[in-house]
Amino acid sequence: NFLNYWQGNSSGTLGDGSNGLPATTHSNYSIDIGVLSSLRNKVQIGAYIKNISSSSIGKSFLQYLPRKLSIGVAYKPFLKLNTNIVFERLLGEKDIQFRFSWEYMFSDLFTIRSGIQMKPGKLGFGFTYSPKDAINISYALITDPILPITNNLELKVKF
């Protein structure tokens, strides 16, 4: 992974930029590693470690980036339904995050999906409409315990 952080000039305490911080940019690389196994296109089991290289970013304020372990199982009970369960933990922390999602393809034109996450608790819902092979229109909604509901609209055009 190539990681890049850019920060513009700050306005400072006076608000006019005279005593603010200058613009800065920092970059670094990190390495992820993972494995994936599939059984008869019905069950998939995977695991990965994000940032196994324990990279950091910054110079005067060095920030070590988190390392994360994820283990997941996907099950496809029948052709049009996918279900997923993922357990995720920041290395060095005790809390485990849990996610569950499902996706149902009504037809080649319309797919609906939903998911839930714990720690923090979030609920998501979305759908994709694909009137042609070259065009996808997707909408998603995500709740958050602190932030207002987030809406996302995506238009994908393939050339």
Side-chain angles (χ1 to χ4, degrees), residues 8-42:
N9 294 332
S10 73
S11 59
T13 56
L14 299 176
D16 62 1
S18 62
N19 65 342
L21 297 172
T24 183
T25 183
H26 303 285
S27 60
N28 202 350
Y29 295 93
S30 72
I31 298 172
D32 300 345
I33 189 166
V35 294
L36 178 65
S37 177
S38 179
L39 178 64
R40 300 177 196 215
N41 292 329
K42 281 266 198 205

Short mmCIF file of all heavy atoms in Angstrom, two decimals, residues 8-42:
data_model
loop_
_atom_site.label_atom_id
_atom_site.label_comp_id
_atom_site.label_asym_id
_atom_site.label_seq_id
_atom_site.Cartn_x
_atom_site.Cartn_y
_atom_site.Cartn_z
N GLY A 8 -3.02 21.07 4.29
CA GLY A 8 -2.84 22.43 3.80
C GLY A 8 -2.40 23.38 4.90
O GLY A 8 -2.29 23.00 6.07
N ASN A 9 -2.14 24.61 4.54
CA ASN A 9 -1.77 25.64 5.52
C ASN A 9 -2.88 25.80 6.54
O ASN A 9 -4.05 25.75 6.21
CB ASN A 9 -1.55 26.99 4.83
CG ASN A 9 -0.37 26.97 3.90
OD1 ASN A 9 0.58 26.23 4.09
ND2 ASN A 9 -0.43 27.80 2.86
N SER A 10 -2.49 26.02 7.80
CA SER A 10 -3.51 26.30 8.82
C SER A 10 -3.62 27.80 9.02
O SER A 10 -2.69 28.55 8.72
CB SER A 10 -3.16 25.60 10.14
OG SER A 10 -2.08 26.25 10.77
N SER A 11 -4.75 28.24 9.52
CA SER A 11 -4.97 29.68 9.69
C SER A 11 -4.32 30.21 10.95
O SER A 11 -4.20 31.42 11.12
CB SER A 11 -6.47 29.97 9.72
OG SER A 11 -7.07 29.26 10.77
N GLY A 12 -3.90 29.34 11.87
CA GLY A 12 -3.26 29.79 13.10
C GLY A 12 -4.26 30.36 14.08
O GLY A 12 -5.46 30.41 13.83
N THR A 13 -3.76 30.84 15.20
CA THR A 13 -4.64 31.36 16.25
C THR A 13 -5.24 32.72 15.90
O THR A 13 -6.29 33.09 16.41
CB THR A 13 -3.88 31.48 17.59
OG1 THR A 13 -2.74 32.30 17.39
CG2 THR A 13 -3.46 30.11 18.09
N LEU A 14 -4.59 33.46 15.00
CA LEU A 14 -5.13 34.76 14.60
C LEU A 14 -6.15 34.64 13.48
O LEU A 14 -6.89 35.57 13.20
CB LEU A 14 -3.98 35.69 14.17
CG LEU A 14 -2.94 36.00 15.25
CD1 LEU A 14 -1.82 36.85 14.67
CD2 LEU A 14 -3.61 36.69 16.43
N GLY A 15 -6.16 33.50 12.80
CA GLY A 15 -7.13 33.28 11.74
C GLY A 15 -6.74 33.81 10.38
O GLY A 15 -7.45 33.62 9.41
N ASP A 16 -5.59 34.49 10.26
CA ASP A 16 -5.19 35.05 8.98
C ASP A 16 -4.00 34.31 8.36
O ASP A 16 -3.48 34.72 7.32
CB ASP A 16 -4.87 36.54 9.12
CG ASP A 16 -3.70 36.81 10.07
OD1 ASP A 16 -3.12 35.83 10.61
OD2 ASP A 16 -3.37 37.99 10.28
N GLY A 17 -3.51 33.26 9.01
CA GLY A 17 -2.41 32.47 8.48
C GLY A 17 -1.04 32.97 8.87
O GLY A 17 -0.03 32.32 8.57
N SER A 18 -0.94 34.12 9.54
CA SER A 18 0.37 34.68 9.86
C SER A 18 1.15 33.84 10.87
O SER A 18 2.37 33.80 10.83
CB SER A 18 0.22 36.12 10.38
OG SER A 18 -0.55 36.12 11.56
N ASN A 19 0.48 33.17 11.77
CA ASN A 19 1.17 32.31 12.72
C ASN A 19 0.71 30.86 12.63
O ASN A 19 0.76 30.11 13.58
CB ASN A 19 0.99 32.84 14.16
CG ASN A 19 -0.46 32.78 14.62
OD1 ASN A 19 -1.36 32.68 13.81
ND2 ASN A 19 -0.66 32.87 15.92
N GLY A 20 0.25 30.47 11.45
CA GLY A 20 -0.22 29.10 11.23
C GLY A 20 0.90 28.17 10.81
O GLY A 20 2.05 28.57 10.61
N LEU A 21 0.56 26.91 10.69
CA LEU A 21 1.52 25.90 10.24
C LEU A 21 1.55 25.84 8.73
O LEU A 21 0.51 26.00 8.07
CB LEU A 21 1.13 24.53 10.80
CG LEU A 21 1.15 24.39 12.32
CD1 LEU A 21 0.56 23.05 12.73
CD2 LEU A 21 2.55 24.55 12.86
N PRO A 22 2.72 25.59 8.13
CA PRO A 22 2.79 25.51 6.67
C PRO A 22 2.20 24.19 6.17
O PRO A 22 2.02 23.24 6.95
CB PRO A 22 4.30 25.57 6.39
CG PRO A 22 4.93 25.02 7.63
CD PRO A 22 4.03 25.45 8.75
N ALA A 23 1.92 24.13 4.89
CA ALA A 23 1.43 22.90 4.27
C ALA A 23 2.49 21.81 4.37
O ALA A 23 3.70 22.11 4.35
CB ALA A 23 1.07 23.15 2.81
N THR A 24 2.07 20.59 4.52
CA THR A 24 3.01 19.48 4.63
C THR A 24 2.44 18.24 3.97
O THR A 24 1.22 18.09 3.85
CB THR A 24 3.36 19.20 6.11
OG1 THR A 24 4.34 18.18 6.17
CG2 THR A 24 2.15 18.78 6.89
N THR A 25 3.31 17.37 3.55
CA THR A 25 2.89 16.09 2.99
C THR A 25 3.84 15.01 3.49
O THR A 25 5.04 15.24 3.65
CB THR A 25 2.85 16.12 1.45
OG1 THR A 25 2.37 14.88 0.98
CG2 THR A 25 4.20 16.41 0.85
N HIS A 26 3.29 13.86 3.79
CA HIS A 26 4.07 12.71 4.25
C HIS A 26 3.58 11.48 3.51
O HIS A 26 2.40 11.36 3.20
CB HIS A 26 3.91 12.50 5.76
CG HIS A 26 4.27 13.68 6.58
ND1 HIS A 26 5.58 14.04 6.80
CD2 HIS A 26 3.52 14.59 7.22
CE1 HIS A 26 5.61 15.12 7.55
NE2 HIS A 26 4.36 15.48 7.82
N SER A 27 4.48 10.54 3.28
CA SER A 27 4.08 9.29 2.61
C SER A 27 4.94 8.14 3.13
O SER A 27 6.02 8.35 3.67
CB SER A 27 4.21 9.42 1.09
OG SER A 27 5.54 9.71 0.74
N ASN A 28 4.42 6.94 2.95
CA ASN A 28 5.12 5.73 3.37
C ASN A 28 4.45 4.53 2.69
O ASN A 28 3.42 4.68 2.03
CB ASN A 28 5.09 5.58 4.90
CG ASN A 28 6.21 4.69 5.40
OD1 ASN A 28 6.90 4.05 4.62
ND2 ASN A 28 6.39 4.66 6.70
N TYR A 29 5.02 3.39 2.88
CA TYR A 29 4.47 2.15 2.34
C TYR A 29 4.12 1.22 3.49
O TYR A 29 4.74 1.26 4.56
CB TYR A 29 5.50 1.45 1.43
CG TYR A 29 5.81 2.24 0.20
CD1 TYR A 29 6.88 3.13 0.16
CD2 TYR A 29 5.04 2.10 -0.94
CE1 TYR A 29 7.17 3.86 -0.96
CE2 TYR A 29 5.31 2.83 -2.07
CZ TYR A 29 6.38 3.70 -2.09
OH TYR A 29 6.65 4.42 -3.21
N SER A 30 3.14 0.35 3.27
CA SER A 30 2.82 -0.69 4.25
C SER A 30 2.53 -1.98 3.49
O SER A 30 2.25 -1.96 2.28
CB SER A 30 1.64 -0.30 5.13
OG SER A 30 0.43 -0.36 4.40
N ILE A 31 2.58 -3.09 4.20
CA ILE A 31 2.37 -4.40 3.58
C ILE A 31 1.22 -5.10 4.28
O ILE A 31 1.16 -5.15 5.51
CB ILE A 31 3.65 -5.26 3.68
CG1 ILE A 31 4.79 -4.59 2.92
CG2 ILE A 31 3.39 -6.66 3.14
CD1 ILE A 31 6.13 -5.26 3.12
N ASP A 32 0.30 -5.63 3.49
CA ASP A 32 -0.78 -6.47 3.98
C ASP A 32 -0.53 -7.89 3.49
O ASP A 32 0.06 -8.10 2.43
CB ASP A 32 -2.14 -6.02 3.44
CG ASP A 32 -2.49 -4.59 3.81
OD1 ASP A 32 -1.83 -4.04 4.71
OD2 ASP A 32 -3.40 -4.03 3.20
N ILE A 33 -0.99 -8.86 4.26
CA ILE A 33 -0.84 -10.26 3.84
C ILE A 33 -2.14 -10.98 4.18
O ILE A 33 -2.77 -10.72 5.20
CB ILE A 33 0.38 -10.93 4.50
CG1 ILE A 33 0.62 -12.29 3.89
CG2 ILE A 33 0.23 -11.01 5.99
CD1 ILE A 33 1.98 -12.88 4.23
N GLY A 34 -2.57 -11.88 3.29
CA GLY A 34 -3.81 -12.59 3.52
C GLY A 34 -3.87 -13.90 2.78
O GLY A 34 -3.08 -14.17 1.89
N VAL A 35 -4.83 -14.72 3.21
CA VAL A 35 -5.07 -16.01 2.56
C VAL A 35 -6.58 -16.15 2.34
O VAL A 35 -7.39 -15.61 3.09
CB VAL A 35 -4.55 -17.20 3.40
CG1 VAL A 35 -3.05 -17.17 3.50
CG2 VAL A 35 -5.18 -17.23 4.77
N LEU A 36 -6.95 -16.89 1.29
CA LEU A 36 -8.35 -17.12 0.97
C LEU A 36 -8.49 -18.55 0.48
O LEU A 36 -7.70 -19.01 -0.34
CB LEU A 36 -8.84 -16.15 -0.10
CG LEU A 36 -10.28 -16.31 -0.57
CD1 LEU A 36 -11.24 -16.00 0.57
CD2 LEU A 36 -10.55 -15.40 -1.75
N SER A 37 -9.49 -19.23 1.02
CA SER A 37 -9.75 -20.61 0.61
C SER A 37 -11.22 -20.74 0.25
O SER A 37 -12.08 -20.14 0.88
CB SER A 37 -9.40 -21.55 1.77
OG SER A 37 -9.71 -22.88 1.43
N SER A 38 -11.51 -21.55 -0.76
CA SER A 38 -12.88 -21.73 -1.22
C SER A 38 -13.21 -23.21 -1.30
O SER A 38 -12.38 -24.03 -1.69
CB SER A 38 -13.03 -21.08 -2.60
OG SER A 38 -14.34 -21.25 -3.07
N LEU A 39 -14.44 -23.55 -0.93
CA LEU A 39 -14.91 -24.92 -1.00
C LEU A 39 -16.15 -24.97 -1.87
O LEU A 39 -17.21 -24.47 -1.49
CB LEU A 39 -15.23 -25.44 0.41
CG LEU A 39 -15.79 -26.84 0.51
CD1 LEU A 39 -14.76 -27.86 0.00
CD2 LEU A 39 -16.17 -27.16 1.94
N ARG A 40 -16.01 -25.53 -3.07
CA ARG A 40 -17.11 -25.75 -4.01
C ARG A 40 -17.95 -24.51 -4.31
O ARG A 40 -19.15 -24.60 -4.50
CB ARG A 40 -18.01 -26.86 -3.49
CG ARG A 40 -17.30 -28.16 -3.33
CD ARG A 40 -18.21 -29.18 -2.77
NE ARG A 40 -17.41 -30.28 -2.27
CZ ARG A 40 -17.78 -31.53 -2.32
NH1 ARG A 40 -18.92 -31.85 -2.83
NH2 ARG A 40 -17.00 -32.46 -1.84
N ASN A 41 -17.36 -23.36 -4.32
CA ASN A 41 -18.04 -22.09 -4.59
C ASN A 41 -19.24 -21.85 -3.67
O ASN A 41 -20.14 -21.09 -4.00
CB ASN A 41 -18.48 -22.01 -6.06
CG ASN A 41 -17.31 -21.91 -6.98
OD1 ASN A 41 -16.28 -21.36 -6.63
ND2 ASN A 41 -17.45 -22.46 -8.18
N LYS A 42 -19.27 -22.50 -2.52
CA LYS A 42 -20.34 -22.32 -1.52
C LYS A 42 -19.82 -21.62 -0.28
O LYS A 42 -20.50 -20.80 0.30
CB LYS A 42 -20.91 -23.68 -1.10
CG LYS A 42 -21.88 -24.27 -2.07
CD LYS A 42 -23.24 -23.87 -1.62
CE LYS A 42 -24.30 -24.73 -2.22
NZ LYS A 42 -25.55 -24.02 -2.27
#
